[in-house]
Amino acid sequence: LVKMRADSVFEISLSEEPPHTQLRRWADHPETDTPQPIPRVRIVTKDRDTCWACLGRIHSILPPMPGRLRDYISSPKENLYMCLHTTVLLDGTAVQVYILSAEMDWVAEFGVGAY
């Protein structure tokens, strides 16, 4: 397993997928009865290397869903957004995980793409 120091992770927060995202997903797949919110976990680490270590640790504990890893650290978006997105299964339920460093979090909150 990947070794991590206790002071490597600054923040872990849990939220629910916002309603507009649920409705957009429902519009894409109208055959489903009602959109179910997908839980989200946001992890803020001290640096880029710790983001990757954290991803390795999560994937060693919870099985990742195939094709559900987005690496915006190696290939940032045009607005400089950087983050690792993955979806894992926890007791058969999909959970979205966002992993980013404190600096990446600042750019996401106050940078070019912030709203």
Short mmCIF file of all heavy atoms in Angstrom, two decimals, residues 61-83:
data_model
loop_
_atom_site.label_atom_id
_atom_site.label_comp_id
_atom_site.label_asym_id
_atom_site.label_seq_id
_atom_site.Cartn_x
_atom_site.Cartn_y
_atom_site.Cartn_z
N ILE A 61 -7.88 0.57 -1.88
CA ILE A 61 -8.89 0.21 -0.89
C ILE A 61 -10.26 0.00 -1.54
O ILE A 61 -10.96 -0.96 -1.22
CB ILE A 61 -9.00 1.31 0.19
CG1 ILE A 61 -7.67 1.41 0.94
CG2 ILE A 61 -10.13 1.03 1.16
CD1 ILE A 61 -7.57 2.63 1.83
N LEU A 62 -10.65 0.90 -2.45
CA LEU A 62 -11.96 0.83 -3.10
C LEU A 62 -11.79 0.61 -4.59
O LEU A 62 -10.95 1.26 -5.21
CB LEU A 62 -12.74 2.13 -2.87
CG LEU A 62 -13.04 2.49 -1.41
CD1 LEU A 62 -13.58 3.90 -1.32
CD2 LEU A 62 -14.00 1.49 -0.82
N PRO A 63 -12.57 -0.27 -5.19
CA PRO A 63 -12.41 -0.54 -6.63
C PRO A 63 -12.85 0.64 -7.48
O PRO A 63 -13.96 1.16 -7.30
CB PRO A 63 -13.30 -1.76 -6.87
CG PRO A 63 -14.30 -1.74 -5.77
CD PRO A 63 -13.64 -1.08 -4.61
N PRO A 64 -11.99 1.08 -8.41
CA PRO A 64 -12.38 2.17 -9.30
C PRO A 64 -13.33 1.67 -10.39
O PRO A 64 -13.26 0.51 -10.79
CB PRO A 64 -11.06 2.64 -9.90
CG PRO A 64 -10.17 1.45 -9.82
CD PRO A 64 -10.61 0.67 -8.62
N MET A 65 -14.21 2.55 -10.85
CA MET A 65 -15.07 2.21 -11.97
C MET A 65 -14.27 2.41 -13.25
O MET A 65 -13.61 3.45 -13.42
CB MET A 65 -16.32 3.08 -11.98
CG MET A 65 -17.27 2.78 -10.82
SD MET A 65 -18.75 3.79 -10.84
CE MET A 65 -19.55 3.23 -12.33
N PRO A 66 -14.28 1.44 -14.16
CA PRO A 66 -13.51 1.57 -15.40
C PRO A 66 -13.93 2.79 -16.22
O PRO A 66 -15.12 3.10 -16.32
CB PRO A 66 -13.84 0.28 -16.16
CG PRO A 66 -14.35 -0.67 -15.13
CD PRO A 66 -15.00 0.18 -14.07
N GLY A 67 -12.94 3.49 -16.74
CA GLY A 67 -13.19 4.64 -17.60
C GLY A 67 -13.63 5.89 -16.84
O GLY A 67 -14.07 6.85 -17.46
N ARG A 68 -13.54 5.88 -15.52
CA ARG A 68 -14.02 7.01 -14.73
C ARG A 68 -12.89 7.74 -14.01
O ARG A 68 -13.07 8.24 -12.92
CB ARG A 68 -15.06 6.53 -13.71
CG ARG A 68 -16.31 5.93 -14.30
CD ARG A 68 -17.12 6.93 -15.05
NE ARG A 68 -17.36 8.08 -14.19
CZ ARG A 68 -18.49 8.73 -14.11
NH1 ARG A 68 -19.48 8.40 -14.87
NH2 ARG A 68 -18.62 9.75 -13.29
N LEU A 69 -11.72 7.80 -14.63
CA LEU A 69 -10.59 8.55 -14.08
C LEU A 69 -10.29 9.70 -15.04
O LEU A 69 -10.08 9.48 -16.23
CB LEU A 69 -9.36 7.67 -13.91
CG LEU A 69 -8.08 8.40 -13.48
CD1 LEU A 69 -8.24 9.00 -12.09
CD2 LEU A 69 -6.89 7.46 -13.51
N ARG A 70 -10.30 10.91 -14.52
CA ARG A 70 -9.96 12.09 -15.30
C ARG A 70 -8.75 12.75 -14.65
O ARG A 70 -8.78 13.09 -13.47
CB ARG A 70 -11.12 13.09 -15.35
CG ARG A 70 -12.40 12.54 -15.94
CD ARG A 70 -12.29 12.40 -17.45
NE ARG A 70 -13.53 11.92 -18.02
CZ ARG A 70 -13.79 10.66 -18.32
NH1 ARG A 70 -12.89 9.74 -18.10
NH2 ARG A 70 -14.92 10.31 -18.87
N ASP A 71 -7.70 12.92 -15.44
CA ASP A 71 -6.47 13.50 -14.94
C ASP A 71 -6.33 14.92 -15.48
O ASP A 71 -5.85 15.13 -16.59
CB ASP A 71 -5.28 12.64 -15.38
CG ASP A 71 -3.94 13.25 -15.00
OD1 ASP A 71 -3.93 14.25 -14.26
OD2 ASP A 71 -2.91 12.72 -15.45
N TYR A 72 -6.78 15.90 -14.70
CA TYR A 72 -6.64 17.30 -15.08
C TYR A 72 -5.38 17.90 -14.45
O TYR A 72 -5.18 19.11 -14.55
CB TYR A 72 -7.87 18.10 -14.65
CG TYR A 72 -9.13 17.65 -15.37
CD1 TYR A 72 -10.19 17.09 -14.67
CD2 TYR A 72 -9.25 17.78 -16.74
CE1 TYR A 72 -11.34 16.67 -15.32
CE2 TYR A 72 -10.39 17.37 -17.41
CZ TYR A 72 -11.43 16.82 -16.69
OH TYR A 72 -12.57 16.41 -17.34
N ILE A 73 -4.55 17.09 -13.83
CA ILE A 73 -3.26 17.58 -13.32
C ILE A 73 -2.23 17.53 -14.44
O ILE A 73 -1.55 18.51 -14.72
CB ILE A 73 -2.80 16.79 -12.09
CG1 ILE A 73 -3.73 17.06 -10.91
CG2 ILE A 73 -1.35 17.14 -11.73
CD1 ILE A 73 -3.41 16.30 -9.65
N SER A 74 -2.13 16.38 -15.11
CA SER A 74 -1.18 16.26 -16.22
C SER A 74 -1.64 17.06 -17.44
O SER A 74 -0.82 17.54 -18.21
CB SER A 74 -1.01 14.79 -16.62
OG SER A 74 -0.48 14.06 -15.55
N SER A 75 -2.96 17.17 -17.61
CA SER A 75 -3.54 17.92 -18.73
C SER A 75 -4.58 18.89 -18.19
O SER A 75 -5.78 18.59 -18.20
CB SER A 75 -4.19 16.96 -19.73
OG SER A 75 -3.26 16.06 -20.24
N PRO A 76 -4.15 20.06 -17.69
CA PRO A 76 -5.11 21.02 -17.11
C PRO A 76 -6.11 21.51 -18.15
O PRO A 76 -5.83 21.52 -19.35
CB PRO A 76 -4.23 22.17 -16.64
CG PRO A 76 -2.84 21.66 -16.62
CD PRO A 76 -2.78 20.55 -17.62
N LYS A 77 -7.27 21.94 -17.66
CA LYS A 77 -8.26 22.53 -18.55
C LYS A 77 -7.76 23.90 -19.01
O LYS A 77 -6.78 24.43 -18.47
CB LYS A 77 -9.60 22.68 -17.81
CG LYS A 77 -10.28 21.35 -17.56
CD LYS A 77 -11.66 21.60 -16.98
CE LYS A 77 -12.43 20.30 -16.90
NZ LYS A 77 -13.84 20.54 -16.52
N GLU A 78 -8.43 24.48 -20.00
CA GLU A 78 -7.99 25.77 -20.54
C GLU A 78 -8.00 26.88 -19.48
O GLU A 78 -7.24 27.82 -19.57
CB GLU A 78 -8.88 26.17 -21.71
CG GLU A 78 -8.67 25.30 -22.93
CD GLU A 78 -9.60 25.68 -24.08
OE1 GLU A 78 -10.38 26.64 -23.94
OE2 GLU A 78 -9.54 25.00 -25.11
N ASN A 79 -8.88 26.77 -18.49
CA ASN A 79 -8.96 27.79 -17.45
C ASN A 79 -8.00 27.51 -16.29
O ASN A 79 -8.13 28.09 -15.22
CB ASN A 79 -10.39 27.93 -16.93
CG ASN A 79 -10.89 26.65 -16.28
OD1 ASN A 79 -10.16 25.67 -16.14
ND2 ASN A 79 -12.15 26.64 -15.90
N LEU A 80 -7.05 26.62 -16.50
CA LEU A 80 -6.00 26.24 -15.55
C LEU A 80 -6.49 25.35 -14.40
O LEU A 80 -5.76 25.12 -13.44
CB LEU A 80 -5.28 27.47 -14.98
CG LEU A 80 -4.69 28.42 -16.03
CD1 LEU A 80 -4.03 29.61 -15.34
CD2 LEU A 80 -3.71 27.70 -16.93
N TYR A 81 -7.72 24.85 -14.49
CA TYR A 81 -8.26 23.94 -13.48
C TYR A 81 -7.45 22.65 -13.47
O TYR A 81 -7.20 22.06 -14.52
CB TYR A 81 -9.72 23.63 -13.78
CG TYR A 81 -10.35 22.60 -12.87
CD1 TYR A 81 -10.76 22.95 -11.59
CD2 TYR A 81 -10.55 21.30 -13.30
CE1 TYR A 81 -11.34 22.01 -10.76
CE2 TYR A 81 -11.13 20.36 -12.47
CZ TYR A 81 -11.53 20.72 -11.20
OH TYR A 81 -12.11 19.80 -10.37
N MET A 82 -7.00 22.25 -12.28
CA MET A 82 -6.22 21.03 -12.12
C MET A 82 -6.81 20.21 -10.98
O MET A 82 -7.07 20.75 -9.90
CB MET A 82 -4.76 21.36 -11.81
CG MET A 82 -4.06 22.12 -12.91
SD MET A 82 -2.41 22.66 -12.42
CE MET A 82 -1.52 21.14 -12.58
N CYS A 83 -7.02 18.92 -11.22
CA CYS A 83 -7.62 18.05 -10.22
C CYS A 83 -7.61 16.63 -10.75
O CYS A 83 -7.53 16.41 -11.96
CB CYS A 83 -9.06 18.50 -9.95
SG CYS A 83 -9.87 17.67 -8.59
#
